[in-house]
Amino acid sequence: MNQDACIIFDIDGVLIDTRKSYNESIKQTVRYMVKRYNPTIDNVESLVTDDMIFNFRKSGMFNNDADTSYAFILSIVCGPSKISDLHIFLEKITGNATTNGIKSVENFLLDYSKDKEKVISTMRMLNYPGDIHSSIVARVFDEYFYGPSLFKKQHSADAQYYFGSPLIENDVVLVRDSTIKKISDYFDMRVGIVSGRSRVAAEYSMKWLFDYFDSDASIFLEDEKREMGKPNPLALIKSIRSMGVCNAFYVGDSAEDLLMVLKAREESHLDIQLIGICPPNSRANQIRNLFTENGTSLIAQEVNELPNILNKVKTQF
């Protein structure tokens, strides 16, 4: 492999399967918050589906799952009263989310609602975006995901609302030790991370695999200012430059990963190729189409295919 190249990974959906951790944290946060503020709404747990969560994410601006939780909570509390109408309403909102992120949902609700004051008062009550000290949405989400002990480690604060098992325990590591070792060897250990999760969460779930990654070239966006979140390219550019190279692969699985790479190329003039991870299912096929439409030629079904892919393209770097 060329000495002037590195590889950087997203974590969620690439190195770790988060469907039973982050997705479940969204669902439990929405259930808790909706029942807290409107106990008359029944079957809240049936309203939030993985397909709807995916629809938010594919807009490119819902990398933060607390954002997704907030969008669902606001939409349910301010939506139609009949559960059947609410299902259709949520499908419409999630299907029409845009790169304006939570603003697109707030604006949709303000345009839709006959009671705009209810929407405005609910937004004020939820006080989102905000940190765990200012927004109950952010706090409840992190309490479910981290559980009381890890929540305290991440935030130096005690849990207030959830005291059960941490949903981060449901993370499933996808990448094999042998895969990361081969990739590390290819790039002379120039292997980094740019991920939406925190360092605490990454270390907890990846365990000894975390040691394969260059700590100085790894950026955990939950620990950064909100404006640094994907698809802002600054973290990716910083990671690449910290390794002293001009060429890079970024391994991601989402619309915001694609947008981040495209912006990073434009702003830095670095040579960055996206390797898209797209499992063989209908949701991933939508992202696959988005990748190919935007010039992504390196696509794998799962992360453990990467050593073979890199062998085929190594002469390019």
Side-chain angles (χ1 to χ4, degrees):
M1 186 65 69
N2 190 306
Q3 294 299 307
D4 193 28
C6 68
I7 189 166
I8 300 166
F9 287 84
D10 183 24
I11 292 179
D12 302 325
V14 174
L15 301 177
I16 292 176
D17 184 339
T18 63
R19 287 174 294 178
K20 298 297 184 181
S21 55
Y22 273 121
N23 280 22
E24 189 62 25
S25 296
I26 292 171
K27 295 172 185 178
Q28 292 301 324
T29 299
V30 174
R31 179 194 60 78
Y32 179 90
M33 293 296 297
V34 170
K35 297 302 286 185
R36 178 183 177 91
Y37 290 110
N38 191 346
T40 65
I41 300 177
D42 294 323
N43 300 316
V44 175
E45 55 272 20
S46 70
L47 291 172
V48 181
T49 67
D50 286 344
D51 283 337
M52 289 181 184
I53 293 171
F54 173 78
N55 282 338
F56 272 135
R57 287 177 180 153
K58 76 176 182 181
S59 73
M61 283 299 291
F62 282 89
N63 184 56
N64 185 328
D65 287 336
D67 283 13
T68 306
S69 302
Y70 166 74
F72 275 117
I73 295 161
L74 187 63
S75 300
I76 293 169
V77 172
C78 298
S81 56
K82 287 181 62 177
I83 197 80
S84 57
D85 293 339
L86 198 48
H87 270 287
I88 297 169
F89 184 66
L90 289 174
E91 287 177 351
K92 185 173 183 180
I93 288 177
T94 61
N96 287 280
T98 73
T99 51
N100 286 327
I102 61 174
K103 282 294 180 187
S104 69
V105 175
E106 292 172 345
N107 291 337
F108 181 95
L109 290 168
L110 287 168
D111 290 340
Y112 155 83
S113 181
K114 295 177 181 177
D115 187 358
K116 290 181 172 52
E117 185 54 42
K118 181 180 181 181
V119 178
I120 293 169
S121 64
T122 305
M123 289 166 58
R124 287 174 179 160
M125 175 183 66
L126 297 174
N127 194 31
Y128 191 85
D131 62 20
I132 63 140
H133 303 291
S134 61
S135 174
I136 188 173
V137 176
R139 176 177 277 273
V140 170
F141 179 87
D142 274 11
E143 288 189 16
Y144 271 103
F145 179 70
Y146 286 110
S149 179
L150 213 57
F151 178 87
K152 187 166 187 176
K153 181 177 181 180
Q154 171 67 9
H155 294 293
S156 300
D158 292 323
Q160 296 179 3
Y161 302 102
Y162 177 69
F163 304 96
S165 299
L167 293 178
I168 192 176
E169 293 284 2
N170 296 334
D171 273 349
V172 177
V173 176
L174 298 171
V175 65
R176 293 192 290 266
D177 183 275
S178 59
T179 297
I180 288 295
K181 187 177 186 308
K182 287 177 183 177
I183 291 171
S184 182
D185 289 343
Y186 285 154
F187 290 93
D188 293 332
M189 298 185 291
R190 292 185 299 276
V191 184
I193 291 170
V194 173
S195 169
R197 68 168 54 199
S198 68
R199 180 180 291 271
V200 165
E203 289 179 336
Y204 185 85
S205 294
M206 293 174 65
K207 300 180 173 60
W208 67 89
L209 292 174
F210 193 78
D211 293 337
Y212 282 105
F213 297 87
D214 183 336
S215 180
D216 293 334
S218 296
I219 301 174
F220 302 91
L221 298 170
E222 185 180 331
D223 301 331
E224 304 290 330
K225 292 181 179 179
R226 179 177 172 85
E227 55 266 28
M228 282 288 286
K230 297 177 186 178
N232 187 325
L234 292 181
L236 180 57
I237 295 169
K238 181 179 178 181
S239 176
I240 295 168
R241 287 181 171 160
S242 74
M243 288 187 271
V245 298
C246 298
N247 305 297
F249 292 101
Y250 183 75
V251 187
D253 71 322
S254 64
E256 62 264 19
D257 293 332
L258 171 64
L259 292 173
M260 179 176 67
V261 168
L262 294 176
K263 290 182 178 182
R265 284 180 195 159
E266 181 180 354
E267 294 187 17
S268 69
H269 305 295
L270 294 167
D271 190 349
I272 310 168
Q273 289 196 46
L274 175 68
I275 300 179
I277 301 298
C278 298
N281 59 55
S282 59
R283 289 188 208 124
N285 284 341
Q286 295 179 53
I287 298 298
R288 179 187 293 268
N289 292 337
L290 183 64
F291 286 167
T292 55
E293 287 166 6
N294 285 274
T296 302
S297 59
L298 301 175
I299 297 177
Q301 291 189 1
E302 54 103 6
V303 68
N304 294 300
E305 295 178 1
L306 291 193
N308 288 335
I309 290 175
L310 292 168
N311 265 330
K312 293 177 182 177
V313 301
K314 64 184 179 182
T315 56
Q316 298 176 25
F317 275 70

PDB file of all heavy atoms in Angstrom, residues 143-164:
ATOM      1  N   GLU A 143     -29.441   8.069  29.221  1.00  0.00           N
ATOM      2  CA  GLU A 143     -29.628   7.163  30.357  1.00  0.00           C
ATOM      3  C   GLU A 143     -30.022   5.772  29.881  1.00  0.00           C
ATOM      4  O   GLU A 143     -29.538   4.762  30.403  1.00  0.00           O
ATOM      5  CB  GLU A 143     -30.656   7.736  31.330  1.00  0.00           C
ATOM      6  CG  GLU A 143     -30.130   8.936  32.109  1.00  0.00           C
ATOM      7  CD  GLU A 143     -31.048   9.381  33.234  1.00  0.00           C
ATOM      8  OE1 GLU A 143     -31.936   8.603  33.619  1.00  0.00           O
ATOM      9  OE2 GLU A 143     -30.846  10.503  33.743  1.00  0.00           O
ATOM     10  N   TYR A 144     -30.900   5.702  28.891  1.00  0.00           N
ATOM     11  CA  TYR A 144     -31.270   4.391  28.344  1.00  0.00           C
ATOM     12  C   TYR A 144     -30.079   3.739  27.655  1.00  0.00           C
ATOM     13  O   TYR A 144     -29.816   2.541  27.835  1.00  0.00           O
ATOM     14  CB  TYR A 144     -32.428   4.526  27.342  1.00  0.00           C
ATOM     15  CG  TYR A 144     -33.787   4.437  27.975  1.00  0.00           C
ATOM     16  CD1 TYR A 144     -34.551   5.578  28.187  1.00  0.00           C
ATOM     17  CD2 TYR A 144     -34.320   3.212  28.368  1.00  0.00           C
ATOM     18  CE1 TYR A 144     -35.808   5.508  28.779  1.00  0.00           C
ATOM     19  CE2 TYR A 144     -35.576   3.119  28.948  1.00  0.00           C
ATOM     20  CZ  TYR A 144     -36.308   4.267  29.155  1.00  0.00           C
ATOM     21  OH  TYR A 144     -37.542   4.187  29.739  1.00  0.00           O
ATOM     22  N   PHE A 145     -29.364   4.490  26.840  1.00  0.00           N
ATOM     23  CA  PHE A 145     -28.276   3.903  26.070  1.00  0.00           C
ATOM     24  C   PHE A 145     -27.118   3.466  26.965  1.00  0.00           C
ATOM     25  O   PHE A 145     -26.630   2.333  26.871  1.00  0.00           O
ATOM     26  CB  PHE A 145     -27.775   4.896  25.022  1.00  0.00           C
ATOM     27  CG  PHE A 145     -26.635   4.365  24.196  1.00  0.00           C
ATOM     28  CD1 PHE A 145     -26.837   3.343  23.271  1.00  0.00           C
ATOM     29  CD2 PHE A 145     -25.354   4.873  24.352  1.00  0.00           C
ATOM     30  CE1 PHE A 145     -25.780   2.838  22.519  1.00  0.00           C
ATOM     31  CE2 PHE A 145     -24.294   4.379  23.609  1.00  0.00           C
ATOM     32  CZ  PHE A 145     -24.513   3.360  22.686  1.00  0.00           C
ATOM     33  N   TYR A 146     -26.677   4.344  27.846  1.00  0.00           N
ATOM     34  CA  TYR A 146     -25.499   4.056  28.664  1.00  0.00           C
ATOM     35  C   TYR A 146     -25.807   3.238  29.915  1.00  0.00           C
ATOM     36  O   TYR A 146     -24.935   2.520  30.415  1.00  0.00           O
ATOM     37  CB  TYR A 146     -24.836   5.363  29.104  1.00  0.00           C
ATOM     38  CG  TYR A 146     -24.073   6.084  28.024  1.00  0.00           C
ATOM     39  CD1 TYR A 146     -24.544   7.281  27.494  1.00  0.00           C
ATOM     40  CD2 TYR A 146     -22.871   5.602  27.535  1.00  0.00           C
ATOM     41  CE1 TYR A 146     -23.832   7.969  26.511  1.00  0.00           C
ATOM     42  CE2 TYR A 146     -22.153   6.272  26.563  1.00  0.00           C
ATOM     43  CZ  TYR A 146     -22.645   7.456  26.049  1.00  0.00           C
ATOM     44  OH  TYR A 146     -21.943   8.119  25.093  1.00  0.00           O
ATOM     45  N   GLY A 147     -27.033   3.360  30.454  1.00  0.00           N
ATOM     46  CA  GLY A 147     -27.293   2.792  31.767  1.00  0.00           C
ATOM     47  C   GLY A 147     -26.646   3.661  32.840  1.00  0.00           C
ATOM     48  O   GLY A 147     -25.779   4.494  32.546  1.00  0.00           O
ATOM     49  N   PRO A 148     -27.045   3.496  34.104  1.00  0.00           N
ATOM     50  CA  PRO A 148     -26.605   4.411  35.168  1.00  0.00           C
ATOM     51  C   PRO A 148     -25.085   4.514  35.338  1.00  0.00           C
ATOM     52  O   PRO A 148     -24.550   5.615  35.490  1.00  0.00           O
ATOM     53  CB  PRO A 148     -27.258   3.818  36.421  1.00  0.00           C
ATOM     54  CG  PRO A 148     -28.427   3.045  35.922  1.00  0.00           C
ATOM     55  CD  PRO A 148     -28.019   2.501  34.589  1.00  0.00           C
ATOM     56  N   SER A 149     -24.376   3.385  35.315  1.00  0.00           N
ATOM     57  CA  SER A 149     -22.938   3.419  35.587  1.00  0.00           C
ATOM     58  C   SER A 149     -22.165   4.113  34.477  1.00  0.00           C
ATOM     59  O   SER A 149     -21.340   5.010  34.731  1.00  0.00           O
ATOM     60  CB  SER A 149     -22.423   1.993  35.794  1.00  0.00           C
ATOM     61  OG  SER A 149     -21.033   1.989  36.028  1.00  0.00           O
ATOM     62  N   LEU A 150     -22.404   3.702  33.241  1.00  0.00           N
ATOM     63  CA  LEU A 150     -21.678   4.290  32.110  1.00  0.00           C
ATOM     64  C   LEU A 150     -22.132   5.728  31.859  1.00  0.00           C
ATOM     65  O   LEU A 150     -21.331   6.563  31.408  1.00  0.00           O
ATOM     66  CB  LEU A 150     -21.884   3.430  30.862  1.00  0.00           C
ATOM     67  CG  LEU A 150     -20.715   3.357  29.868  1.00  0.00           C
ATOM     68  CD1 LEU A 150     -19.455   2.868  30.547  1.00  0.00           C
ATOM     69  CD2 LEU A 150     -21.070   2.484  28.684  1.00  0.00           C
ATOM     70  N   PHE A 151     -23.404   6.023  32.155  1.00  0.00           N
ATOM     71  CA  PHE A 151     -23.893   7.403  32.053  1.00  0.00           C
ATOM     72  C   PHE A 151     -23.076   8.315  32.963  1.00  0.00           C
ATOM     73  O   PHE A 151     -22.659   9.404  32.571  1.00  0.00           O
ATOM     74  CB  PHE A 151     -25.371   7.466  32.430  1.00  0.00           C
ATOM     75  CG  PHE A 151     -25.969   8.858  32.396  1.00  0.00           C
ATOM     76  CD1 PHE A 151     -26.491   9.373  31.224  1.00  0.00           C
ATOM     77  CD2 PHE A 151     -25.999   9.639  33.542  1.00  0.00           C
ATOM     78  CE1 PHE A 151     -27.039  10.659  31.177  1.00  0.00           C
ATOM     79  CE2 PHE A 151     -26.540  10.917  33.517  1.00  0.00           C
ATOM     80  CZ  PHE A 151     -27.059  11.426  32.334  1.00  0.00           C
ATOM     81  N   LYS A 152     -22.818   7.849  34.179  1.00  0.00           N
ATOM     82  CA  LYS A 152     -22.026   8.651  35.121  1.00  0.00           C
ATOM     83  C   LYS A 152     -20.596   8.811  34.622  1.00  0.00           C
ATOM     84  O   LYS A 152     -19.985   9.886  34.767  1.00  0.00           O
ATOM     85  CB  LYS A 152     -22.051   8.024  36.508  1.00  0.00           C
ATOM     86  CG  LYS A 152     -21.392   8.901  37.564  1.00  0.00           C
ATOM     87  CD  LYS A 152     -21.718   8.434  38.967  1.00  0.00           C
ATOM     88  CE  LYS A 152     -21.185   9.420  40.011  1.00  0.00           C
ATOM     89  NZ  LYS A 152     -21.585   9.024  41.383  1.00  0.00           N
ATOM     90  N   LYS A 153     -20.053   7.764  34.016  1.00  0.00           N
ATOM     91  CA  LYS A 153     -18.693   7.857  33.487  1.00  0.00           C
ATOM     92  C   LYS A 153     -18.620   8.859  32.342  1.00  0.00           C
ATOM     93  O   LYS A 153     -17.663   9.638  32.242  1.00  0.00           O
ATOM     94  CB  LYS A 153     -18.228   6.479  33.005  1.00  0.00           C
ATOM     95  CG  LYS A 153     -16.798   6.475  32.464  1.00  0.00           C
ATOM     96  CD  LYS A 153     -16.356   5.071  32.079  1.00  0.00           C
ATOM     97  CE  LYS A 153     -14.918   5.080  31.561  1.00  0.00           C
ATOM     98  NZ  LYS A 153     -14.459   3.719  31.176  1.00  0.00           N
ATOM     99  N   GLN A 154     -19.628   8.868  31.492  1.00  0.00           N
ATOM    100  CA  GLN A 154     -19.634   9.777  30.346  1.00  0.00           C
ATOM    101  C   GLN A 154     -19.909  11.220  30.751  1.00  0.00           C
ATOM    102  O   GLN A 154     -19.282  12.150  30.241  1.00  0.00           O
ATOM    103  CB  GLN A 154     -20.688   9.310  29.321  1.00  0.00           C
ATOM    104  CG  GLN A 154     -20.969  10.277  28.171  1.00  0.00           C
ATOM    105  CD  GLN A 154     -19.785  10.451  27.228  1.00  0.00           C
ATOM    106  OE1 GLN A 154     -18.772   9.741  27.309  1.00  0.00           O
ATOM    107  NE2 GLN A 154     -19.898  11.421  26.325  1.00  0.00           N
ATOM    108  N   HIS A 155     -20.829  11.412  31.694  1.00  0.00           N
ATOM    109  CA  HIS A 155     -21.319  12.762  31.979  1.00  0.00           C
ATOM    110  C   HIS A 155     -20.955  13.293  33.367  1.00  0.00           C
ATOM    111  O   HIS A 155     -21.281  14.445  33.673  1.00  0.00           O
ATOM    112  CB  HIS A 155     -22.842  12.804  31.836  1.00  0.00           C
ATOM    113  CG  HIS A 155     -23.321  12.576  30.431  1.00  0.00           C
ATOM    114  ND1 HIS A 155     -23.074  13.469  29.411  1.00  0.00           N
ATOM    115  CD2 HIS A 155     -24.040  11.558  29.881  1.00  0.00           C
ATOM    116  CE1 HIS A 155     -23.618  13.019  28.291  1.00  0.00           C
ATOM    117  NE2 HIS A 155     -24.206  11.872  28.543  1.00  0.00           N
ATOM    118  N   SER A 156     -20.345  12.471  34.196  1.00  0.00           N
ATOM    119  CA  SER A 156     -20.054  12.865  35.590  1.00  0.00           C
ATOM    120  C   SER A 156     -21.329  13.332  36.291  1.00  0.00           C
ATOM    121  O   SER A 156     -21.341  14.337  37.018  1.00  0.00           O
ATOM    122  CB  SER A 156     -18.989  13.972  35.627  1.00  0.00           C
ATOM    123  OG  SER A 156     -17.794  13.530  35.042  1.00  0.00           O
ATOM    124  N   ALA A 157     -22.408  12.605  36.071  1.00  0.00           N
ATOM    125  CA  ALA A 157     -23.706  12.935  36.667  1.00  0.00           C
ATOM    126  C   ALA A 157     -24.470  11.645  36.913  1.00  0.00           C
ATOM    127  O   ALA A 157     -24.267  10.637  36.228  1.00  0.00           O
ATOM    128  CB  ALA A 157     -24.514  13.848  35.746  1.00  0.00           C
ATOM    129  N   ASP A 158     -25.348  11.659  37.906  1.00  0.00           N
ATOM    130  CA  ASP A 158     -26.157  10.485  38.232  1.00  0.00           C
ATOM    131  C   ASP A 158     -27.402  10.418  37.353  1.00  0.00           C
ATOM    132  O   ASP A 158     -27.974  11.448  36.979  1.00  0.00           O
ATOM    133  CB  ASP A 158     -26.590  10.525  39.698  1.00  0.00           C
ATOM    134  CG  ASP A 158     -25.418  10.356  40.651  1.00  0.00           C
ATOM    135  OD1 ASP A 158     -24.513   9.572  40.322  1.00  0.00           O
ATOM    136  OD2 ASP A 158     -25.426  11.004  41.722  1.00  0.00           O
ATOM    137  N   ALA A 159     -27.821   9.193  37.036  1.00  0.00           N
ATOM    138  CA  ALA A 159     -29.075   8.997  36.300  1.00  0.00           C
ATOM    139  C   ALA A 159     -30.255   9.462  37.148  1.00  0.00           C
ATOM    140  O   ALA A 159     -30.238   9.358  38.378  1.00  0.00           O
ATOM    141  CB  ALA A 159     -29.229   7.528  35.924  1.00  0.00           C
ATOM    142  N   GLN A 160     -31.287   9.948  36.465  1.00  0.00           N
ATOM    143  CA  GLN A 160     -32.486  10.422  37.147  1.00  0.00           C
ATOM    144  C   GLN A 160     -33.753   9.687  36.730  1.00  0.00           C
ATOM    145  O   GLN A 160     -34.724   9.655  37.481  1.00  0.00           O
ATOM    146  CB  GLN A 160     -32.691  11.918  36.878  1.00  0.00           C
ATOM    147  CG  GLN A 160     -31.612  12.821  37.432  1.00  0.00           C
ATOM    148  CD  GLN A 160     -31.853  14.288  37.118  1.00  0.00           C
ATOM    149  OE1 GLN A 160     -32.872  14.652  36.521  1.00  0.00           O
ATOM    150  NE2 GLN A 160     -30.913  15.132  37.499  1.00  0.00           N
ATOM    151  N   TYR A 161     -33.750   9.087  35.534  1.00  0.00           N
ATOM    152  CA  TYR A 161     -34.997   8.556  34.985  1.00  0.00           C
ATOM    153  C   TYR A 161     -34.963   7.060  34.682  1.00  0.00           C
ATOM    154  O   TYR A 161     -35.993   6.406  34.675  1.00  0.00           O
ATOM    155  CB  TYR A 161     -35.357   9.314  33.697  1.00  0.00           C
ATOM    156  CG  TYR A 161     -35.505  10.799  33.896  1.00  0.00           C
ATOM    157  CD1 TYR A 161     -34.480  11.673  33.516  1.00  0.00           C
ATOM    158  CD2 TYR A 161     -36.647  11.337  34.482  1.00  0.00           C
ATOM    159  CE1 TYR A 161     -34.600  13.048  33.700  1.00  0.00           C
ATOM    160  CE2 TYR A 161     -36.779  12.705  34.666  1.00  0.00           C
ATOM    161  CZ  TYR A 161     -35.760  13.554  34.285  1.00  0.00           C
ATOM    162  OH  TYR A 161     -35.877  14.903  34.469  1.00  0.00           O
ATOM    163  N   TYR A 162     -33.789   6.518  34.404  1.00  0.00           N
ATOM    164  CA  TYR A 162     -33.711   5.112  34.016  1.00  0.00           C
ATOM    165  C   TYR A 162     -32.599   4.434  34.799  1.00  0.00           C
ATOM    166  O   TYR A 162     -31.469   4.927  34.837  1.00  0.00           O
ATOM    167  CB  TYR A 162     -33.439   4.986  32.512  1.00  0.00           C
ATOM    168  CG  TYR A 162     -33.272   3.563  32.040  1.00  0.00           C
ATOM    169  CD1 TYR A 162     -34.352   2.686  32.014  1.00  0.00           C
ATOM    170  CD2 TYR A 162     -32.025   3.085  31.619  1.00  0.00           C
ATOM    171  CE1 TYR A 162     -34.205   1.381  31.590  1.00  0.00           C
ATOM    172  CE2 TYR A 162     -31.870   1.778  31.187  1.00  0.00           C
ATOM    173  CZ  TYR A 162     -32.966   0.926  31.181  1.00  0.00           C
ATOM    174  OH  TYR A 162     -32.818  -0.363  30.755  1.00  0.00           O
ATOM    175  N   PHE A 163     -32.924   3.285  35.399  1.00  0.00           N
ATOM    176  CA  PHE A 163     -31.962   2.594  36.260  1.00  0.00           C
ATOM    177  C   PHE A 163     -31.824   1.115  35.886  1.00  0.00           C
ATOM    178  O   PHE A 163     -31.339   0.318  36.673  1.00  0.00           O
ATOM    179  CB  PHE A 163     -32.385   2.747  37.723  1.00  0.00           C
ATOM    180  CG  PHE A 163     -32.535   4.184  38.142  1.00  0.00           C
ATOM    181  CD1 PHE A 163     -33.776   4.797  38.128  1.00  0.00           C
ATOM    182  CD2 PHE A 163     -31.426   4.934  38.501  1.00  0.00           C
ATOM    183  CE1 PHE A 163     -33.913   6.133  38.478  1.00  0.00           C
ATOM    184  CE2 PHE A 163     -31.547   6.269  38.856  1.00  0.00           C
ATOM    185  CZ  PHE A 163     -32.800   6.870  38.849  1.00  0.00           C
ATOM    186  N   GLY A 164     -32.256   0.791  34.658  1.00  0.00           N
ATOM    187  CA  GLY A 164     -32.188  -0.592  34.210  1.00  0.00           C
ATOM    188  C   GLY A 164     -30.890  -0.906  33.491  1.00  0.00           C
ATOM    189  O   GLY A 164     -29.894  -0.179  33.572  1.00  0.00           O
TER     190      GLY A 164
END
